[in-house]
């Protein structure tokens, strides 16, 4: 009997390790924060929320660079906030144990589900009567949505790209260097304040900020 | 004096700290947000030597990020992911020279007289009426060039709010803002590239430097130094921008300390300093917010919402009912979080955003309170707060009136964002459920950046932390001048009233040191 329990214990441990850590493939080594399994989750979630194709917004979440953006975002957070974000990804990746996707194979981890199953899982979180589940979903969607909207092509497709605008030089620009630099890095002089800058209201159909132009 | 580099004051930035240091001054001000910056300026103008300490760095346009997520992670404490326990309420406090003024929408409303009367009754105040503060409001308005938002930078989405209110007989006011020569970029929340918003880092702080103030950026005050009933200065560490990695130690010795670290950080600092100024037990208590929620409306014609003042119009019509209505714009990625659905239907819905306008409502919550405590030994807070059902119902009424205004302005549909209700409503008749149903706290998506109450003003030392001059009851030379001193919600955006109170306090202090 004890042999059976030992066998079952080993089998369960193996299954748990496989579910948690194996089968993710190599991640992008250029990313600073997200492990390969987290990259896989963000890619799957971003493509469930923003699938490929569909007119003016043809890019999928991953095609829009969501994984790299989320990595940059996580990198900019404090260690505690990073832990919270990682817990969120972990929770949703494995929550199918408790809230399975439709179908006989719906208990697999999120990244192993079919695209349709992923959408169904997220939709269930979105529409859950439990406020905490809706909050979890909103947190994930906020992260992937903000990543999707960081893409210049997406913003242009929606007609919401930032407009070109020059910053006038003011007294403060002679006092503060860019963050992390010494004051010797201040590149302005008092004469720069006299430069003529357009201060009229922007034209909503005027030129876009250079970083958001088609050839940027 | 035309060259800021020759001004008598100075600013130190992170790259300039290479060893422990200490300085002395008449007054040390902790926090360079709107209240601290005004206090520092007025004290310097009165001829006092002033050291202004700020944990965040100064941001230049080269440091701004138009991208909403990255901008929040760089300018907000805890990367913009701060929230309360109890009822989960996301709340953001800035960490930058200029504090919240760098990333707020510049709304400068004067608290209405009826609310001052309520404060007077609840906190037994005798000289904090609207009339008492008018000279201070006026002085700040003149300094910052506060004016209503001109029509040419309103953009259609703000004017639609005005038109809807007008059609329904509700008042609608162009927002008074500390903005000069706005270009209507709608980028207030990520830093004004047009340098039109007169945030503290480009207005009061440079003015204080011009008068001789020393500004220490990237320094985190960790302790208020005291001896009996007197404070003697502050101490702390240099911290690296964004990472908070601690560097050299510093100490500022001063004849008086002015705390303007914010409603969350100020009580933490007092608690960490031997529970200072807390014989009343009120430090960190009565944490209050203006919970806010938004409704998105889609119009038949393009609104081009990326153009226009971030918050150009408001309605003060319902202040006595407990809420205020406003227009709102934010980075598109932030607003898109509100769009319901997934997959291709979501992508199709997103194409509607060019036709969208967003209104928001903020509620004056009397019954919803919480507290701020230290989170272990860290410098981050543990905040608890509970959204009272009666206050949620008030916000529910605000949502209904926003729906009314949208349809009166010609919207073809609205997205109310209420759990359990349809994602889209196409007529006022469909939206009537918002009027007839009492919404529960868990059904409304709320967030808040307006915070008050944790160091409240009260004439009775047993019931409040500071007196009407904002001097701590327990100490002879410690002042608290941020919006934590508000006994209750100011009914409108709190910045201007906080600055007016700070100015009055600074003038009183200047006569005492």
């Amino acid at each position: 009997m004890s042999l059976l329990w030992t066998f079952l214990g080993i089998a369960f441990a193996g299954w748990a390790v496989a579910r948690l850590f194996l089968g993710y493939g190599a991640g992008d080594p250029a990313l600073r924060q997200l492990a390969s399994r987290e990259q896989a989750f963000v890619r799957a979630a971003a493509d469930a929320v923003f699938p490929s194709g569909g007119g003016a917004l043809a890019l999928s979440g991953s095609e829009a660079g969501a994984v790299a953006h989320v990595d940059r975002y996580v990198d900019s957070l404090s260690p505690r906030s990073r832990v919270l974000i990682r817990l969120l990804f972990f929770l949703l990746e494995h929550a199918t144990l408790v809230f399975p996707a439709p179908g006989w194979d719906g208990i697999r981890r999120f990244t192993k589900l079919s695209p349709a199953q992923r959408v169904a899982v997220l939709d269930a979180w979105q529409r859950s009567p439990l406020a905490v589940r809706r909050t979890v979903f909103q947190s994930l969607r906020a992260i992937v949505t903000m990543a999707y909207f960081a893409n210049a092509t997406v913003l242009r497709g929606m007609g919401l790209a930032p407009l070109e605008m020059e910053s006038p030089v003011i007294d403060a620009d002679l006092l503060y260097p860019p963050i992390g630099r010494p004051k010797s890095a201040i590149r302005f002089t008092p004469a720069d304040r006299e430069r003529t800058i357009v201060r009229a209201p922007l034209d909503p159909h005027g030129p876009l900020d250079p970083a958001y132009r088609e050839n940027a | 004096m035309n060259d800021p580099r020759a001004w008598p004051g100075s600013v130190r930035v992170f790259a300039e700290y290479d060893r422990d240091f200490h300085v002395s001054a008449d007054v040390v001000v902790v926090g360079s947000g709107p209240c601290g910056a005004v206090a520092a300026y007025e004290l310097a103008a009165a001829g006092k030597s002033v050291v202004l300490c700020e944990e965040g760095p100064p941001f230049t346009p080269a440091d701004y990020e138009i991208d909403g997520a990255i901008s929040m992670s760089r300018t907000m404490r805890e990367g913009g992911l701060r929230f309360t326990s109890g009822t989960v309420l996301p709340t953001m406090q800035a960490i930058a020279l200029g504090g919240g003024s760098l990333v707020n929408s510049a709304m400068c409303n004067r608290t209405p007289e009826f609310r001052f009367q309520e404060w007077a009754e609840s906190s037994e105040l005798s000289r904090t009426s609207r009339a008492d503060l008018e000279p201070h409001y006026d002085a700040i308005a003149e300094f910052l060039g506060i004016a209503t938002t001109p029509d040419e930078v309103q953009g259609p989405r703000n004017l639609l709010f005005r038109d809807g209110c007008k059609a329904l007989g509700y008042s609608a006011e162009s927002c008074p803002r500390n903005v000069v020569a706005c270009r209507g970029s709608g980028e207030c929340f990520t830093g004004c590239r047009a340098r039109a918003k007169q945030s503290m880092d480009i207005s009061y702080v440079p003015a204080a430097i011009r008068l001789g103030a020393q500004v220490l950026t990237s320094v985190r005050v960790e302790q208020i130094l005291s001896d009996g009933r007197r404070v003697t200065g502050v101490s702390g560490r240099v911290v690296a921008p964004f990472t908070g990695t601690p560097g050299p130690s510093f100490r500022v010795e001063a004849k008086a300390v002015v705390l303007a670290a914010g409603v969350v950080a100020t009580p933490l600092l007092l608690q960490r300093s031997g529970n200072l100024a807390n014989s009343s037990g009120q430090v960190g208590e009565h944490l209050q917010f203006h919970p806010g929620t938004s409704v998105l409306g889609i119009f038949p014609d393009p609104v081009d919402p990326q153009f226009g003042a971030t918050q150009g119009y408001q309605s003060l019509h319902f202040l006595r009912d407990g809420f205020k209505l406003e227009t709102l714009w934010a980075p598109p990625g932030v607003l898109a979080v509100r769009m319901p659905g997934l997959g291709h239907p979501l992508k199709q819905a997103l194409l509607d955003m060019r036709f969208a306008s967003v209104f928001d409502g903020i509620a004056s919550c009397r019954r919803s309170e919480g507290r701020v405590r230290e989170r272990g030994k860290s410098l981050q807070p543990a905040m608890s707060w509970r959204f009272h059902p009666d206050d949620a119902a008030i916000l529910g009424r605000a949502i209904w009136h926003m729906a009314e205004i949208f349809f009166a302005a010609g919207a073809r549909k609205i997205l109310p964002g209420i759990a359990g209700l349809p994602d889209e409503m196409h007529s006022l008749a469909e939206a009537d459920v918002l009027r007839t149903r009492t919404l529960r706290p868990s059904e409304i998506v709320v967030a808040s950046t307006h915070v008050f109450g944790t160091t409240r003003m009260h004439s009775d030392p047993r019931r409040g932390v500071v007196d009407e001059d904002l001097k701590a009851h327990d100490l002879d030379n410690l002042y608290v001048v941020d919006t934590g001193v508000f006994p209750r919600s100011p009914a409108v955006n709190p910045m201007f009233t906080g600055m007016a109170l700070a100015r009055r306090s600074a003038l009183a202090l200047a006569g005492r040191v």
Side-chain angles (χ1 to χ4, degrees), chain A residues 51 76 134 141 167 176 183, chain B residues 11 73 201 337 339 347 442:
Chain A
S76 69
R134 296 198 304 271
R141 217 189 66 168
S167 297
Y176 316 137
K183 275 194 279 201
Chain B
V11 57
S73 71
D201 55 317
V337 170
M339 302 294 276
K347 289 174 86 173
S442 62

Side-chain angles (χ1 to χ4, degrees), chain A residues 48-54 56-60 69 72-73 76-78 80-81 84-85 119 122-123 126-127 131 134-135 137-138 141-142 145-146 148-150 155 157-168 170-183 188-190 193-194 198-205 209 212, chain B residues 2-5 7 11-13 15-16 57-63 65-70 72-74 78-79 81 83 88 97 152-153 180-185 187 193-195 201-202 205-206 209-210 241-242 304-307 329 332-334 336-344 346-347 350-351 353-354 375 419 423 442-443 445:
Chain A
V49 178
F50 299 106
S52 187
L57 294 179
L59 293 179
S60 71
H69 185 278
R72 186 179 169 215
Y73 174 62
S76 69
L77 296 174
S78 66
R80 177 178 180 272
S81 297
L84 289 176
I85 297 284
V119 171
L122 293 181
D123 195 48
Q126 175 178 230
R127 302 194 181 281
R134 296 198 304 271
T135 302
F137 169 79
Q138 284 158 2
R141 217 189 66 168
T145 301
M146 288 196 282
Y148 190 64
F149 274 71
L155 278 179
M158 295 182 62
L160 296 177
L163 298 165
E164 182 178 45
M165 188 165 51
E166 193 177 1
S167 297
I170 59 175
D171 285 347
D173 295 315
L174 302 174
L175 292 168
Y176 316 137
I179 293 172
R181 307 291 305 283
K183 275 194 279 201
F188 299 112
T189 68
R193 292 174 304 184
E194 313 307 324
V198 176
R199 284 184 172 265
L202 294 168
D203 173 2
H205 306 291
D209 182 86
Y212 290 84
Chain B
N2 190 35
D3 185 347
R5 295 168 300 186
W7 288 352
V11 57
R12 289 182 76 177
V13 296
E16 296 173 318
F59 279 73
T60 68
D63 301 307
E65 289 276 355
I66 300 176
D67 178 80
I70 302 296
M72 278 197 296
S73 71
R74 287 161 61 87
E78 302 185 62
L81 298 179
F83 55 87
V88 175
L97 187 67
E152 57 265 32
V153 294
V180 177
C182 178
R183 300 193 65 195
S185 70
E187 294 177 8
R193 286 188 291 155
R195 319 305 313 263
D201 55 317
I202 68 168
V205 171
I209 296 170
R210 188 174 195 141
F242 310 129
D304 290 322
Q306 82 278 25
F307 171 71
W329 188 245
V334 176
V337 170
R338 285 276 286 96
M339 302 294 276
L342 287 164
H344 289 295
L346 170 63
K347 289 174 86 173
L350 288 173
L351 293 173
M353 282 191 71
R354 259 194 81 206
R375 188 195 297 156
D423 291 334
S442 62
E443 294 173 325
V445 177

Side-chain angles (χ1 to χ4, degrees), chain B residues 139-392:
Chain B
I140 295 162
E142 186 177 344
F143 184 96
L144 292 176
I146 293 170
T148 53
T149 308
D151 274 0
E152 57 265 32
V153 294
Q154 290 285 4
R157 65 181 157 75
N158 287 312
L159 296 176
L160 285 165
F161 178 86
R162 178 198 65 186
D163 296 346
C165 286
K166 196 173 172 184
L168 293 164
Y170 301 151
S171 75
E173 299 84 13
S174 166
C175 292
R177 303 180 308 155
N178 52 313
V179 176
V180 177
C182 178
R183 300 193 65 195
S185 70
E187 294 177 8
C188 287
F189 293 145
T190 52
C192 180
R193 286 188 291 155
R195 319 305 313 263
K197 180 167 66 171
Q198 299 302 295
S199 50
M200 300 303 110
D201 55 317
I202 68 168
S203 57
Y204 270 106
V205 171
I209 296 170
R210 188 174 195 141
L211 294 169
Q214 290 183 66
V215 179
L216 307 176
T217 67
S218 294
V219 296
R220 182 172 61 210
V221 172
E222 297 177 349
Q223 195 83 25
I224 303 163
L225 309 172
S226 62
D227 182 9
R229 278 190 61 89
R230 295 192 67 79
V231 290
T232 57
V234 300
S235 65
R237 301 287 293 271
V238 171
V239 287
F242 310 129
T243 65
T245 305
S249 302
F250 77 96
R251 194 173 75 246
V252 183
E253 289 161 5
K255 296 173 188 167
V257 174
V258 175
L259 294 182
V263 178
V264 177
T266 289
L268 285 186
L269 197 47
L270 291 168
Q271 290 163 6
R272 289 175 58 84
S273 304
N275 209 16
L276 209 57
N278 197 21
S279 66
S280 64
Q282 301 297 313
V283 169
E285 299 295 319
H286 310 294
L287 173 68
Q288 296 161 69
F289 295 93
H290 278 161
T293 193
S294 63
V295 175
L296 206 135
I298 307 296
F299 288 85
D301 299 315
V303 173
D304 290 322
Q306 82 278 25
F307 171 71
T310 301
Q311 294 195 281
Y313 256 91
Q314 62 184 0
S315 175
L316 308 181
H317 193 93
F318 302 99
L319 286 190
R320 286 180 185 272
D321 298 311
F323 61 91
K324 172 179 180 275
L325 303 178
E326 311 162 333
T327 57
L328 175 69
W329 188 245
V334 176
L335 290 176
V337 170
R338 285 276 286 96
M339 302 294 276
L342 287 164
H344 289 295
L346 170 63
K347 289 174 86 173
Q348 193 58 41
L350 288 173
L351 293 173
D352 277 343
M353 282 191 71
R354 259 194 81 206
F355 301 76
S357 185
V358 184
F359 303 159
D360 77 276
I362 58 172
S364 301
C365 295
R366 292 169 170 276
R367 308 161 194 85
S368 305
E369 282 201 354
R371 62 169 47 161
V372 180
R373 288 285 182 272
E374 290 178 85
R375 188 195 297 156
K377 289 295 171 192
S378 80
L379 291 161
Q380 304 297 352
M383 291 186 290
S384 59
W385 180 79
R386 182 173 169 268
F387 196 13
H388 193 284
D390 291 350
D391 288 331

Side-chain angles (χ1 to χ4, degrees), chain B residues 423-487:
Chain B
D423 291 334
E424 296 182 353
M425 297 175 178
H426 296 83
S427 67
L428 196 58
E430 273 184 43
D432 196 52
V433 64
L434 297 168
R435 183 180 62 82
T436 56
R437 177 165 159 173
T438 302
L439 297 178
R440 295 193 305 269
S442 62
E443 294 173 325
I444 311 173
V445 177
V446 288
S448 182
T449 52
H450 301 171
V451 203
F452 343 96
T454 55
T455 50
R456 73 179 183 187
M457 169 171 46
H458 201 295
S459 67
D460 184 346
R462 294 166 302 178
R463 298 173 64 193
V465 179
V466 297
D467 65 18
E468 285 191 81
D469 282 333
L470 310 188
K471 185 185 81 64
H473 285 297
D474 296 353
L475 294 144
D476 296 332
N477 57 344
L478 175 68
Y479 290 71
V480 179
V481 302
D482 53 48
T483 60
V485 302
F486 290 8

